[in-house]
Amino acid sequence: MSSFHCFSISESELACTNYSCPRGINPDPGARVKNMVISPKLSLSPEQRDAILTMGKTIPESDVIILSASSENHYAEMQAMFQNLHTVVYPNMANFTMVLFDIGLSAEQRLKTERNCKCHVVTFPGHLFKEYMKNNFCYAWKPLIVLASIVKARKYLVYQDASVRWLNDFHITFDRTNIYGHQILRSIKAIRTPLNTYPQMFQYMEEDPCTFMPYPEIQATSMLHKNDPLVIKTVLEPWARCALEESCICPVEPKTCIRCIRENLTIHRCHRFDQSAITLIMGKMYGDDVYRFIVPDAKSHIRVAREQKANYFKD
């Protein structure tokens, strides 16, 4: 049995560190790449890949794709996102396409969005996939829309939840994506991955939770990925494959596991779906080199403003 050393909340929100895990991340980069590419549990079949890429067939090619999604309950938050994009990003970007996936807007909201967003709106085709995909709280839609959209980006893709607000020097983070391949957010107080990930996901990926105890979870709120074969084959396709498997992305009813109680420092206390999956996949692929992709001085470039809403769209 693994042994964990747990700090109290007052000492560290990073919770537990394992000192006796029998297996760590493979230190050989070549072996890690090979594992990601040949693993049948992390690879897409031609049929699965075609179904996903069909979702993005109407998206025009651009140097940069900025991507988001919204449902009816995030409509006001989404308007605040577009207000920020129109004010800060749009005037300072060239050759980009803003793509919004409709994952449950009302007909009226959809019409209003198309009139005001200055973006390309795409309907998420939940009917193409298994029934659980229709539950937005499984977050299985996110890896799929990222993979469907990045192939239309000649350079890189920027994904953002409706809560993301870019600051005036956002371009520093954008530009780093072309250099490093990824730019991701990770809080300095991020919890260790096994605490916020159910055992079924580790079992699906054939990993021991203690292997990932040294790795704090990364955020899926906003992430940037370069359109590069290595990025797609070793990170985005494995992430999408997990999303296509209920036992990986959404092993239980989301309402029963989505709440992470801060004072509870036991492993598998809750589940973070897409966020848990991308953290494990980035760890499997990059090991300790994950730090290279974390946005430096993130607070100078990006702000996450959950529940910030606006009535921005005109009638």
Side-chain angles (χ1 to χ4, degrees):
M1 180 178 292
S2 299
S3 63
F4 299 98
H5 174 68
C6 295
F7 300 97
S8 70
I9 281 288
S10 60
E11 291 178 287
S12 172
E13 292 195 28
L14 296 183
C16 301
T17 303
N18 177 275
Y19 293 114
S20 60
C21 189
R23 177 182 166 201
I25 300 293
N26 194 319
D28 179 5
R32 294 198 301 266
V33 170
K34 184 177 180 180
N35 176 60
M36 300 304 287
V37 172
I38 69 172
S39 170
K41 286 192 169 184
L42 298 176
S43 303
L44 294 172
S45 70
E47 294 76 19
Q48 289 172 327
R49 188 179 293 105
D50 287 347
I52 294 170
L53 295 183
T54 296
M55 295 162 46
K57 64 182 179 181
T58 65
I59 298 173
E61 278 195 8
S62 300
D63 284 349
V64 179
I65 299 291
I66 304 175
L67 173 68
S68 191
S70 187
S71 54
E72 189 170 2
N73 59 321
H74 286 284
Y75 181 62
E77 192 177 21
M78 180 197 71
Q79 290 184 70
M81 176 191 76
F82 274 109
Q83 186 172 28
N84 170 258
L85 285 169
H86 291 173
T87 304
V88 176
V89 177
Y90 280 35
N92 297 293
M93 284 284 289
N95 204 353
F96 75 97
T97 298
M98 175 69 205
V99 178
L100 180 78
F101 270 82
D102 174 357
I103 57 172
L105 294 170
S106 71
E108 182 182 357
Q109 289 171 342
R110 169 73 176 253
L111 187 61
K112 227 171 165 181
T113 299
E114 289 178 324
R115 284 203 301 255
N116 290 279
C117 71
K118 303 176 187 174
C119 71
H120 187 85
V121 183
V122 182
T123 301
F124 181 77
H127 65 279
L128 294 180
F129 307 102
K130 295 176 183 177
E131 189 66 24
Y132 73 91
M133 194 73 69
K134 297 176 184 176
N135 186 339
N136 284 346
F137 292 106
C138 283
Y139 294 95
W141 50 267
K142 190 184 294 185
L144 302 190
I145 69 170
V146 167
L147 182 57
S149 303
I150 195 169
V151 297
K152 295 302 184 78
R154 286 186 286 265
K155 293 182 178 179
Y156 58 87
L157 173 139
V158 180
Y159 173 79
Q160 59 181 77
D161 282 350
S163 58
V164 168
R165 309 288 179 262
W166 293 103
L167 305 181
N168 287 329
D169 52 1
F170 70 89
H171 59 86
I172 295 174
T173 297
F174 283 31
D175 292 345
R176 283 174 58 88
T177 308
N178 259 341
I179 300 170
Y180 295 101
H182 309 274
Q183 285 292 279
I184 57 178
L185 299 177
R186 188 169 73 189
S187 168
I188 195 170
K189 295 182 178 181
I191 290 292
R192 302 298 172 113
T193 306
L195 275 73
N196 290 357
T197 305
Y198 264 27
Q200 291 94 323
M201 183 175 283
F202 288 102
Q203 291 161 10
Y204 180 85
M205 295 195 188
E206 300 178 335
E207 293 287 356
D208 190 324
C210 75
T211 301
F212 287 83
M213 198 57 81
Y215 299 95
E217 65 179 356
I218 62 179
Q219 295 181 32
T221 308
S222 180
M223 56 182 67
L224 296 83
H225 301 287
K226 186 176 182 179
N227 184 353
D228 177 90
L230 185 69
V231 169
I232 291 173
K233 292 296 292 185
T234 65
V235 174
L236 299 186
E237 287 198 5
W239 194 32
R241 178 57 192 273
C242 175
L244 292 175
E245 301 294 339
E246 189 173 10
S247 62
C248 183
I249 193 81
C250 197
V252 301
E253 165 57 42
K255 290 180 181 178
T256 68
C257 63
I258 200 168
R259 185 165 176 255
C260 300
I261 300 173
R262 183 169 176 251
E263 290 75 17
N264 177 2
L265 295 182
T266 59
I267 64 171
H268 313 315
R269 63 181 186 173
C270 60
H271 190 61
R272 289 287 178 86
F273 312 98
D274 61 308
Q275 184 162 293
S276 291
I278 194 66
T279 301
L280 264 62
I281 288 165
M282 291 288 285
K284 284 168 69 70
M285 174 57 191
Y286 296 112
D288 292 340
D289 286 334
V290 164
Y291 79 91
R292 297 178 183 273
F293 310 116
I294 297 171
V295 176
D297 193 23
K299 290 183 178 179
S300 298
H301 315 306
I302 185 172
R303 184 167 58 91
V304 178
R306 291 184 177 88
E307 301 303 321
Q308 183 191 65
K309 302 175 181 179
N311 185 20
Y312 176 61
F313 290 163
K314 299 174 183 177
D315 291 329

